[in-house]
Amino acid sequence: MAALTEEQSMLKDQASAWVVEQSPVASFREMRDSGVETAFIPTCWQSMVDMGWTGILVPEQYGGSDLGYLTFGVVLEQLGRQLAASPLFASALVGASAVLIAGSDEQKQSLLPKIVDGTEILTLAVDEGAHHAPADLALRAEASADGFVLNGTKTLVVEGMSATTLVVAARTANGITLFVVPADAPGITRQRLTMLDSRGYANVAFADVAIPASAVLGTVDQGAESLDAILDRARAGLAAEMLGTAAQAFDLTLDYLKTREQFGRVIGSFQALGHRAAGLFTSMELTRSCMEAALQAIDAKAENVPEMCALSKCKVGDFLHEMSNQLIQIHGGIGMTDEFDAGFYLKRARVAEHLFGNQAFHRERYATLLGF
Amino acid sequence: MSESSELSDFRESASAWLSENFPASLAGKSVGMEGESVAALGDDLTAWRQRLAEQGWGAPTWPREYGGAGLSHPQVKVLNQEMEKVGAFNPIPMMAGMGVTMVGPTVLEYGTEDQKLKHLPGIASGEIRWCLGLSEPNAGSDLASLSTKAEDNGDQFVLNGQKVWTSGADISQWCGALVRTDSKAKKRDGISFVMLPMDQSGVETRPIKLIAGASPFCETYFNNAIAEKSDLLGKLNDGWSVVKRLLQHERQSQTGARGPSGAKPVPLQEMAKKYVGTNADGTLADVDLRVRLASHLMDSKAHGLTIGRITAEARGNVEVSAAASILKNSATHVAQTKSELTMEIMGAQGLGWEGAEFSSEELGSVREWLFGKAMSIYGGSFEVQNNIISKNILGLPETTQKG
């Protein structure tokens, strides 16, 4: 872990204790089995709001604590360990980032306090096809007499069913424009997606959705840069959650290596497995450095935020991919059973890898950013 | 974060000292392990080494009484930054062989006061080069099976046996050697660490030619070589704990966490553009190479960030740690991949052995590629580091090392 401040250490301990007691993997299993449409447990979400986690990025004047992205990452990592499902990431990290980066004072005033108190759940609607391709989005916003009319479809919108406000990236006459749109606006149809990881997603269709000019977040046609900045923050934040998931998978595996006996000794005494564990641990340490450095770069407003976020999402994705496979492999038959939790980690891994750009997307982006 | 006033005062005085004392002719230069470049840089290097040594900046964290400057780690970081700015480098760690990085820190920890006063100043000034007699023909990864004997002869030990891979043995003045002092004890319990001068009739060295051509490695033969008992480091038959610590220092020195080196290499992506060409949109013409190059640059960045993170977590209190095994393997992976990519990027120009048809950069990269194969072997092989990680960090049971 980075050299944490006292405040960050306290939050880490708080999040770690809370998630193990209040929102362990067992709760996630119950949630999955119950098929609840929001795909999170409302009381757990309320606890997160009560603990102030929804305000970690929000300035004090809007009711938050303004502790920054690394601090948010510290919390998300702990939640990722137990696969805790909630709109915290979609709303308080991605949504709040969108408002903070592109919002007017008025929009900040109207949205941020509600993100903090949980009365609004924001989410970013960006993807439209099978792959993350923010540069190629097609959803159109045509200028009208008093605003814009939106037509098109967004796919795999994170917490799309529970969101109250959508941050929509749309193509306008001369570029990209961001809009804040009430999720229940006339013309919007939301379709729940049942994904591998049992979390909340929706496809959102826009059919002649009329919105006022005041719904523009930022400047008309100038939204591409803001969108990139929002996506970078989403990637760095999700990477923190993903590393928590991977770290828990590692811990479960290491524990199994020390307790499972075959051929009269614990299987961790076989060098083939000892070296595999050493390799995974080495990857985890290197990956952690990237994950934390990206969040620190955002907090420091560094110039290399885009590179660092691509690095983080890619390296964490690679590690989670390998770790989730090894979690199953090293546990053997028990790892294949639904009764055991390993499958949850594997399933979550693949969806999280895909979200906001998979490893291939970010390797490409990294090369482009470095000018080759 | 703003710097403390104490540190910024130090920065100012270091910068002033450097502008007065660092010879401009040496800017951007460096010295290699082989020692040949030392001669090429001539009198300016001699003068620069002496001035650095007088400041105690050859081994800046060591106490003043032993030739250091007693600097804190944050101060050393500042010093390195100021040296980078003017293209300066510290030649002393290279000129002292294994002295600054490995022998010195171990003597600081295990040595008697007399030993510290006798050996450390010569290392810190770069005047005495040290080699290490550890590996033997039949004791490589299984170092504790070594058989070089040291027999008790009153005030002295008499050494007989053969060491191998003794870096710079042919140009060193002193050697730290691991020897068997009790042949009846279990293999790790009968070993001692002695220090002996190389300039004596009982010591013979033969350089080993490697796949990369000339090399700094030697075979070293002890034929009734003499080590004074006062140069026994640590307790008799406790050499294994001394060498374990010494090897931790070695791994630390091989983690890629280097000081200022002066010379700035060409970024690999720029080299790739030159040799491979680009598409109209500026991307590399070879798409497969482009992806692998991106992966490598990410790995390299991750390695650098990890060194920084581990330093930050230690809050400036840099101790050798178990993390050194992780960093050594990572540094090796990054460096070997870089060499392979460089070779691939250069194509046929990267496959020359000698001759005017190839640039010195091209020929150098071939030798570096070949020499780099040693990185995952020396200092505890890649596999030995993985044993250390699985046993010492992860707490998995030991299976491979008996006795």
Side-chain angles (χ1 to χ4, degrees):
Chain A
M1 208 58 222
L4 296 181
T5 62
E6 203 173 317
E7 203 149 29
Q8 287 164 339
S9 297
M10 277 169 56
L11 259 171
K12 181 187 171 191
D13 294 345
Q14 181 195 33
S16 162
W18 179 84
V19 76
V20 168
E21 281 165 30
Q22 303 296 321
S23 189
V25 186
S27 310
F28 176 77
R29 176 183 294 277
E30 278 173 36
M31 189 277 293
R32 178 199 69 168
D33 293 346
S34 75
V36 50
E37 188 170 78
T38 52
F40 62 84
I41 301 167
T43 50
C44 284
W45 169 229
Q46 189 56 49
S47 297
M48 293 183 192
V49 173
D50 293 343
M51 286 183 287
W53 297 349
T54 43
I56 291 175
L57 297 184
V58 175
E60 289 174 21
Q61 65 185 113
Y62 303 113
S65 52
D66 201 9
L67 293 172
Y69 285 86
L70 180 62
T71 307
F72 212 131
V74 164
V75 172
L76 284 173
E77 184 184 343
Q78 296 307 315
L79 300 183
R81 279 185 166 268
Q82 298 294 329
L83 303 174
S86 82
L88 184 70
F89 166 73
S91 185
L93 191 144
V94 187
S97 294
V99 177
L100 285 166
I101 288 168
S104 63
D105 286 349
E106 211 169 10
Q107 285 164 327
K108 287 179 186 168
Q109 190 57 59
S110 72
L111 289 167
L112 293 175
K114 291 178 179 169
I115 291 175
V116 176
D117 70 17
T119 50
E120 283 264 20
I121 293 175
L122 268 68
T123 191
L124 178 68
V126 58
D127 286 356
E128 300 180 358
H131 291 278
H132 179 63
D136 300 332
L137 54 88
L139 185 141
R140 291 209 64 89
E142 304 282 354
S144 63
D146 51 357
F148 292 84
V149 177
L150 273 51
N151 276 293
T153 307
K154 293 291 182 185
T155 59
L156 200 64
V157 177
V158 181
E159 311 301 341
M161 295 310 288
S162 50
T164 56
T165 294
L166 307 170
V167 176
V168 182
R171 194 161 290 282
T172 39
N174 296 301
I176 302 292
T177 305
L178 301 176
F179 296 94
V180 276
V181 183
D184 58 359
I188 288 182
T189 315
R190 291 190 277 180
Q191 175 66 44
R192 183 184 175 188
L193 281 172
T194 306
M195 302 301 287
L196 187 61
D197 65 350
S198 305
R199 303 277 275 253
Y201 304 95
N203 281 349
V204 184
F206 296 76
D208 293 327
V209 178
I211 48 171
S214 61
V216 173
L217 192 69
T219 310
V220 175
D221 293 333
Q222 308 290 314
E225 204 176 308
S226 296
L227 177 61
D228 264 346
I230 298 162
L231 288 171
D232 280 337
R233 282 148 184 80
R235 290 159 183 155
L238 183 58
E241 181 190 325
M242 289 164 72
L243 186 61
T245 302
Q248 185 72 9
F250 180 86
D251 289 355
L252 287 168
T253 304
L254 184 62
D255 192 49
Y256 195 70
L257 286 170
K258 289 177 180 175
T259 49
R260 168 72 172 171
E261 288 187 23
Q262 288 286 276
F263 305 102
R265 49 190 182 145
V266 294
I267 60 172
S269 66
F270 297 114
Q271 199 178 38
L273 295 180
H275 281 199
R276 202 177 303 165
L280 290 166
F281 184 73
T282 302
S283 295
M284 181 161 68
E285 287 298 301
L286 292 162
T287 300
R288 172 175 295 288
S289 312
C290 299
M291 180 276 274
E292 293 179 356
L295 295 166
Q296 286 168 327
I298 297 171
D299 284 333
K301 301 180 170 61
E303 276 181 18
N304 64 351
V305 164
E307 285 109 283
M308 296 305 288
C309 293
L311 174 74
S312 171
K313 184 67 177 27
C314 182
K315 294 297 290 180
V316 174
D318 274 342
F319 176 59
L320 178 58
H321 189 96
E322 175 65 7
M323 189 63 240
S324 57
N325 282 340
Q326 291 300 335
L327 171 68
I328 304 282
Q329 175 63 24
I330 293 176
H331 278 84
I334 184 80
M336 290 296 294
T337 64
D338 185 67
E339 186 189 352
F340 190 64
D341 294 333
F344 289 152
Y345 286 82
L346 179 67
K347 292 168 183 173
R348 174 59 184 162
R350 290 304 174 277
V351 181
E353 285 171 54
H354 171 87
L355 291 173
F356 302 104
N358 64 11
Q359 291 86 292
F361 177 94
H362 287 294
R363 267 190 284 274
E364 200 287 327
R365 182 166 161 80
Y366 196 72
T368 301
L369 289 166
L370 263 62
F372 68 96
Chain B
M1 219 182 309
S2 69
E3 207 163 85
S4 73
S5 64
E6 202 180 327
L7 264 192
S8 54
D9 286 352
F10 176 73
R11 184 183 293 281
E12 216 166 284
S13 68
S15 165
W17 187 87
L18 283 168
S19 65
E20 205 162 303
N21 290 283
F22 177 62
S25 65
L26 297 179
K29 301 276 177 31
S30 62
V31 295
M33 206 166 158
E34 295 79 4
E36 50 202 37
S37 49
V38 171
L41 294 178
D43 293 345
D44 279 354
L45 181 67
T46 310
W48 171 231
R49 184 195 59 71
Q50 278 170 356
R51 288 175 208 161
L52 264 183
E54 280 160 22
Q55 280 288 100
W57 285 355
T61 58
W62 295 5
R64 286 180 181 282
E65 60 268 38
Y66 309 133
L71 297 191
S72 67
H73 287 286
Q75 283 175 319
V76 172
K77 199 173 160 190
V78 165
L79 176 59
N80 287 344
Q81 287 166 350
E82 290 306 311
M83 285 175 72
E84 290 266 8
K85 274 186 203 161
V86 295
F89 58 96
N90 177 2
I92 290 176
M94 279 297 181
M95 295 173 84
M98 304 293 145
V100 172
T101 48
M102 296 167 67
V103 175
T106 314
V107 169
L108 271 173
E109 203 166 327
Y110 284 91
T112 62
E113 188 58 26
D114 284 347
Q115 287 173 337
K116 291 178 193 172
L117 290 170
K118 176 178 172 185
H119 294 299
L120 295 178
I123 295 173
S125 68
E127 284 163 304
I128 307 293
R129 182 185 283 268
W130 282 72
C131 62
L132 283 168
L134 306 178
S135 298
E136 297 182 4
N138 291 313
S141 287
D142 183 10
L143 183 58
S145 68
L146 62 91
S147 61
T148 293
K149 268 203 194 98
E151 280 166 318
D152 191 324
N153 186 25
D155 290 341
Q156 299 174 325
F157 292 111
V158 179
L159 275 58
N160 280 287
Q162 186 200 337
K163 294 292 177 181
V164 71
W165 308 124
T166 35
S167 310
D170 52 338
I171 51 172
S172 291
Q173 288 79 47
W174 275 79
C175 176
L178 211 51
V179 293
R180 190 156 297 286
T181 38
D182 183 350
S183 53
K184 294 188 189 77
K186 281 206 299 183
K187 69 180 187 181
R188 290 186 193 176
D189 297 340
I191 293 172
S192 300
F193 191 98
V194 296
M195 301 178 280
L196 68 156
M198 294 294 281
D199 183 18
Q200 55 171 306
S201 60
V203 177
E204 189 196 337
T205 62
R206 293 181 201 160
I208 304 169
K209 188 177 174 187
L210 291 183
I211 53 176
S215 90
F217 295 118
C218 295
E219 295 177 309
T220 300
Y221 296 87
F222 296 134
N223 193 1
N224 291 325
I226 303 297
E228 297 297 330
K229 277 195 174 167
S230 59
D231 282 324
L232 170 72
L233 186 62
K235 295 198 195 92
L236 187 69
N237 294 325
D238 193 29
W240 192 249
S241 21
V242 176
V243 80
K244 273 205 298 192
R245 196 66 182 150
L246 183 101
L247 292 175
Q248 281 190 340
H249 287 294
E250 177 177 42
R251 286 194 284 278
Q252 193 81 2
S253 72
Q254 293 166 355
T255 56
R258 295 206 185 85
S261 68
K264 297 257 184 297
V266 180
L268 213 47
Q269 61 268 38
E270 297 310 318
M271 191 191 287
K273 283 185 188 171
K274 183 181 132 196
Y275 280 90
V276 178
T278 53
N279 296 315
D281 62 358
T283 57
L284 265 190
D286 180 338
V287 289
D288 180 272
L289 173 68
R290 179 173 183 252
V291 173
R292 286 181 291 116
L293 186 53
S295 283
H296 163 69
L297 293 174
M298 284 185 167
D299 285 346
S300 178
K301 184 81 184 172
H303 179 72
L305 289 170
T306 303
I307 291 171
R309 177 168 69 87
I310 286 171
T311 312
E313 283 169 24
R315 297 189 193 263
N317 180 17
V318 185
E319 264 293 305
V320 290
S321 65
S325 290
I326 291 170
L327 291 175
K328 199 239 163 185
N329 274 359
S330 162
T332 300
H333 171 69
V334 169
Q336 290 181 341
T337 307
K338 184 178 181 188
S339 278
E340 294 286 357
L341 284 170
T342 303
M343 190 174 207
E344 180 184 337
I345 286 166
M346 289 178 169
Q349 290 304 111
L351 299 170
W353 185 250
E354 55 191 21
E357 295 81 2
F358 306 99
S359 70
S360 61
E361 189 191 30
E362 287 161 351
L363 293 173
S365 76
V366 170
R367 305 299 172 117
E368 196 177 307
W369 166 73
L370 284 164
F371 193 76
K373 296 300 169 203
M375 281 189 77
S376 47
I377 302 168
Y378 64 52
S381 68
F382 188 81
E383 290 74 16
V384 166
Q385 304 302 337
N386 275 340
N387 283 344
I388 293 170
I389 296 167
S390 68
K391 180 175 159 243
N392 295 356
I393 305 185
L394 302 179
L396 291 171
E398 181 170 28
T399 56
T400 50
Q401 297 161 23
K402 294 216 174 70

